Amino acid sequence: AQSVTQLDSQVPVFEEAPVELRCNYSSSVSVYLFWYVQYPNQGLQLLLKYLSGSTLVESINGFEAEFNKSQTSFHLRKPSVHISDTAEYFCAVSEDDKIIFGKGTRLHILP
Amino acid sequence: DGGITQSPKYLFRKEGQNVTLSCEQNLNHDAMYWYRQDPGQGLRLIYYSQIVNDFQKGDIAEGYSVSREKKESFPLTVTSAQKNPTAFYLCASSMDGGTQYFGPGTRLTVL
């Protein structure tokens, strides 16, 4: 069975600084990978996904993630964060007809 | 406007009562899912349904029940057998078991 590990439960970062949220998954077989974002008291929104093709995927708000098959990782990065990026971020991996979620990383933007 | 809706947004229940959470989608998606979210634990799958009149237990189905009589609707009943029902409940749908799209959530509190 697949599992997803988000190594950091919380990440504090200064505004306009770069950030990396780490995600590792358990299996190297062909998978789909996702990052979701959750703002307080809301549902999850799809941020970006990797299905196939280019290993670097980008979102419309400046986030990007790189699929690394050999390291079974799918880390999320942004070169310069904004206060509006304050949220919880979930990494997820497909398994059969389900998606397995990590426990989330809370991103705190410091002024 | 296509989307997935959940109602109510907030729900209060007395101990020993059953309560039903609504989830509706007009995305024409075949698959629907119910998750429970507790602080620091990520999302845990309660039940999912890939097709009308069929559903499967997830990781934490005890104390919950569902029905899937219509493609658009997947209500979740939290029964009195669920010992710790206070949580944030999220419904999601997907076209083919891949990318999932989430509703805004229902926060259930047991008084």
Side-chain angles (χ1 to χ4, degrees):
Chain A
Q2 284 279 7
S3 66
V4 177
T5 302
Q6 293 184 245
L7 293 166
D8 305 301
S9 60
Q10 297 190 61
V11 172
V13 62
F14 286 103
E15 196 169 11
E16 298 184 5
V19 69
E20 178 179 81
L21 306 183
R22 295 179 291 170
C23 173
N24 289 88
Y25 60 97
S26 59
S27 173
S28 61
V29 299
S30 181
V31 293
Y32 299 155
L33 294 158
F34 309 86
W35 275 100
Y36 284 85
V37 59
Q38 184 180 35
Y39 300 102
N41 293 311
Q42 294 186 26
L44 275 67
Q45 300 174 29
L46 180 67
L47 189 59
L48 48 76
K49 61 184 177 184
Y50 171 79
L51 303 181
S52 64
S54 172
T55 57
L56 185 67
V57 290
E58 299 176 352
S59 72
I60 58 173
N61 56 355
F63 283 94
E64 63 180 30
E66 185 161 19
F67 169 56
N68 188 318
K69 186 174 182 179
S70 62
Q71 297 185 6
T72 61
S73 69
F74 191 55
H75 301 330
L76 182 70
R77 302 183 182 95
K78 188 171 185 180
S80 176
V81 296
H82 188 267
I83 194 73
S84 60
D85 295 322
T86 298
E88 189 158 20
Y89 293 80
F90 291 92
C91 181
V93 61
S94 61
E95 180 179 65
D96 299 325
D97 53 1
K98 301 189 295 291
I99 292 180
I100 310 301
F101 288 86
K103 293 191 175 184
T105 298
R106 195 169 295 276
L107 180 59
H108 295 281
I109 309 300
L110 307 171
Chain B
D1 249 354
I4 180 166
T5 59
Q6 292 184 243
S7 61
K9 188 171 177 65
Y10 298 97
L11 188 57
F12 299 90
R13 188 194 94 173
K14 293 182 180 179
E15 283 193 30
Q17 285 182 337
N18 293 356
V19 63
T20 297
L21 283 59
S22 169
C23 178
E24 305 275 335
Q25 55 98 0
N26 60 4
L27 300 167
N28 200 33
H29 286 172
D30 289 313
M32 297 186 74
Y33 309 80
W34 273 106
Y35 294 90
R36 171 180 171 139
Q37 186 178 23
D38 297 281
Q41 295 199 44
L43 276 70
R44 292 183 290 169
L45 183 64
I46 304 172
Y47 269 98
Y48 65 106
S49 167
Q50 294 177 279
I51 197 169
V52 175
N53 292 322
D54 188 40
F55 48 83
Q56 289 79 39
K57 292 182 179 180
D59 301 316
I60 56 164
E62 185 175 351
Y64 300 97
S65 66
V66 293
S67 63
R68 187 84 188 277
E69 297 177 0
K70 299 186 301 181
K71 188 175 186 177
E72 301 80 16
S73 178
F74 191 40
L76 173 74
T77 297
V78 184
T79 75
S80 56
Q82 171 49 238
K83 296 306 177 189
N84 184 22
T86 294
F88 191 49
Y89 291 87
L90 289 161
C91 180
S93 69
S94 72
M95 175 63 74
D96 52 6
T99 305
Q100 291 183 15
Y101 297 89
F102 284 80
T106 293
R107 188 168 297 282
L108 174 64
T109 303
V110 174
L111 303 173

